[in-house]
């Protein structure tokens, strides 16, 4: 049996009928059962998969984030695949599988990092953004709540960078070492290389390693930050070593001097002072 988990409320590329046809064509000998993820006890369902059965998860980065935080992925003893039907697809981009319709997820469920905010802990698949990237997600969620779905995240980032975002001071503790930065635009902890729909924030990060990459943009003014912004899509921002610092470690704590927006794999949180990441 091949089970297909489908969220009818998610913004994905294909209808249920299209997914049934596309996934059914992969192995016609498999019987397919479609499950509405909003009406299924996913935790118990996944714990009771029989030998020889597999699961296709339809969605993108947000769908993956929900899965890893709802299910103990260490107990998954069957093949589970991601069928590409999301929008950002930074996970697939990171594992060089953007051109594939589906990928096996099991190897990537190992060594998942955790982030702690407001005394609650979450796993994450791609990255945690604290600063301008968090504010972009907060503002985008407000726009969606008002019925706007055609959001250009790059344009929104530029607008907020030039207007609403207020720079902060940051204290960073990484594997016991304490560092301080002024005029911080972002301090992002990365499990993969990409987030934000193609921003190559941590070009040297390996998601299967034992460490996280922290990328800090600091000592920019608004104009120089704007001029540097396009370089993040190719990972060339890291060459600006006087204003972009990349650090690597197993345990990272970032504290800002004023409440700031934060995002975890695109899920936004407002008025956050600090976060703590462990891998």
């Amino acid at each position: 049996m091949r089970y297909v988990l489908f969220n009818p409320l998610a913004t994905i590329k294909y209808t249920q009928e299209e997914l049934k046809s596309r996934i059914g064509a992969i192995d016609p000998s498999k019987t397919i059962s479609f499950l509405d993820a909003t009406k299924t006890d996913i935790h118990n369902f996944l714990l009771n998969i029989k030998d020889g059965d597999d699961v296709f998860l339809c969605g993108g980065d947000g769908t993956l984030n929900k899965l890893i935080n709802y299910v103990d992925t260490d107990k998954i003893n069957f093949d589970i695949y991601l069928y590409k039907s999301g929008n950002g697809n930074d996970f697939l981009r990171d594992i060089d599988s953007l051109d594939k319709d589906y990928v096996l997820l099991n190897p990537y469920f190992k060594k998942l990092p955790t982030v702690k905010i407001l005394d609650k802990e979450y796993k994450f698949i791609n990255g945690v953004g604290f600063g301008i990237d968090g504010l972009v997600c907060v503002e985008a969620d407000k726009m969606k709540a008002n019925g706007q779905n055609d959001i250009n995240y790059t344009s929104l980032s530029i607008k907020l960078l030039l207007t609403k975002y207020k720079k902060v001071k940051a204290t960073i503790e990484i594997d016991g070492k304490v560092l301080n930065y002024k005029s911080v635009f972002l301090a992002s902890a990365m499990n993969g290389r990409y987030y934000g729909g193609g921003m190559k924030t941590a070009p040297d990060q390996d998601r299967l390693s034992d460490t996280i990459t922290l990328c800090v943009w600091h000592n920019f003014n608004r104009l120089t930050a704007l001029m540097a912004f396009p370089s993040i899509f190719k990972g060339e921002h890291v060459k600006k070593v006087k204003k972009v610092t990349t650090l690597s470690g197993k345990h990272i704590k970032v504290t800002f001097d004023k409440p700031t927006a934060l995002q975890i794999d695109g899920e936004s949180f407002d008025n956050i002072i600090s976060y703590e990441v462990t891998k």
Side-chain angles (χ1 to χ4, degrees), residues 127-141:
V128 177
F130 198 20
I132 182 67
D133 42 0
L135 183 60
V136 168
C137 290
V138 167
E139 293 299 312
D141 284 346

Side-chain angles (χ1 to χ4, degrees), residues 227-254:
M227 293 173 64
F229 180 70
S231 65
I232 199 171
F233 289 94
K234 293 185 177 180
E236 295 179 351
H237 60 292
V238 297
K239 297 178 182 178
K240 306 177 190 302
V241 294
K242 292 183 178 180
K243 295 182 181 295
V244 176
T245 299
T246 54
L247 305 162
S248 181
K250 294 184 177 182
H251 184 262
I252 299 169
K253 184 176 182 180
V254 179

Side-chain angles (χ1 to χ4, degrees), residues 216-231:
V216 187
W217 284 48
H218 55 90
N219 296 328
F220 281 99
N221 60 42
R222 294 185 188 275
L223 180 59
T224 56
L226 175 63
M227 293 173 64
F229 180 70
S231 65

Side-chain angles (χ1 to χ4, degrees), residues 35-264:
L35 297 173
D36 184 335
T38 65
K39 299 177 181 178
T40 303
D41 184 336
I42 304 297
H43 180 77
N44 286 329
F45 163 70
L46 291 179
L47 290 179
N48 289 284
I49 297 293
K50 296 179 180 178
D51 289 344
D53 293 345
D54 58 27
V55 173
F56 273 62
L57 182 70
C58 299
D61 300 316
T63 302
L64 275 176
N65 178 270
K66 286 180 173 58
L67 177 72
I68 63 176
N69 281 290
Y70 192 70
V71 175
D72 185 351
T73 52
D74 291 332
K75 294 182 179 179
I76 292 178
N77 56 5
F78 54 88
D79 288 343
I80 181 167
Y81 299 86
L82 177 70
Y83 193 88
K84 184 177 71 175
S85 49
N87 293 316
N89 296 315
D90 285 315
F91 167 74
L92 292 174
R93 185 178 284 108
D94 182 55
I95 64 171
D96 299 318
S97 297
L98 201 56
D99 60 338
K100 298 178 181 178
D101 285 334
Y102 61 96
V103 295
L104 182 67
L105 289 172
N106 301 68
Y108 304 103
F109 284 158
K110 301 174 182 178
K111 298 182 179 179
L112 285 173
T114 60
V115 54
K116 186 177 181 181
I117 59 169
L118 302 175
D119 295 323
K120 188 172 181 179
E121 196 169 79
Y122 305 84
K123 292 180 182 178
F124 63 98
I125 198 85
N126 292 323
V128 177
F130 198 20
I132 182 67
D133 42 0
L135 183 60
V136 168
C137 290
V138 167
E139 293 299 312
D141 284 346
K142 291 178 182 178
M143 294 164 71
K144 291 176 184 177
N146 289 325
Q148 183 176 346
N149 291 313
D150 56 337
I151 300 170
N152 186 313
Y153 284 83
T154 300
S155 297
L156 181 59
S157 299
I158 292 171
K159 177 183 177 182
L160 294 173
L161 185 151
L162 291 174
T163 57
K164 189 172 183 178
Y165 180 71
K166 293 179 174 61
K167 293 177 287 183
V168 298
K169 295 178 182 178
T171 298
I172 293 169
E173 301 171 50
I174 181 163
D175 292 345
K177 185 178 181 179
V178 179
L179 303 165
N180 294 285
Y181 297 93
K182 298 179 180 179
S183 298
V184 174
F185 274 91
L186 62 83
S188 301
M190 302 297 297
N191 184 47
R193 293 174 294 166
Y194 296 91
Y195 73 179
M199 295 182 186
K200 199 174 185 179
T201 306
D204 295 323
Q205 172 64 17
D206 176 3
R207 69 173 53 248
L208 297 180
S209 72
D210 293 322
T211 58
I212 289 290
T213 295
L214 183 72
C215 180
V216 187
W217 284 48
H218 55 90
N219 296 328
F220 281 99
N221 60 42
R222 294 185 188 275
L223 180 59
T224 56
L226 175 63
M227 293 173 64
F229 180 70
S231 65
I232 199 171
F233 289 94
K234 293 185 177 180
E236 295 179 351
H237 60 292
V238 297
K239 297 178 182 178
K240 306 177 190 302
V241 294
K242 292 183 178 180
K243 295 182 181 295
V244 176
T245 299
T246 54
L247 305 162
S248 181
K250 294 184 177 182
H251 184 262
I252 299 169
K253 184 176 182 180
V254 179
T255 304
F256 282 177
D257 68 336
K258 63 184 71 171
T260 308
L262 176 145
Q263 60 87 14
I264 303 172

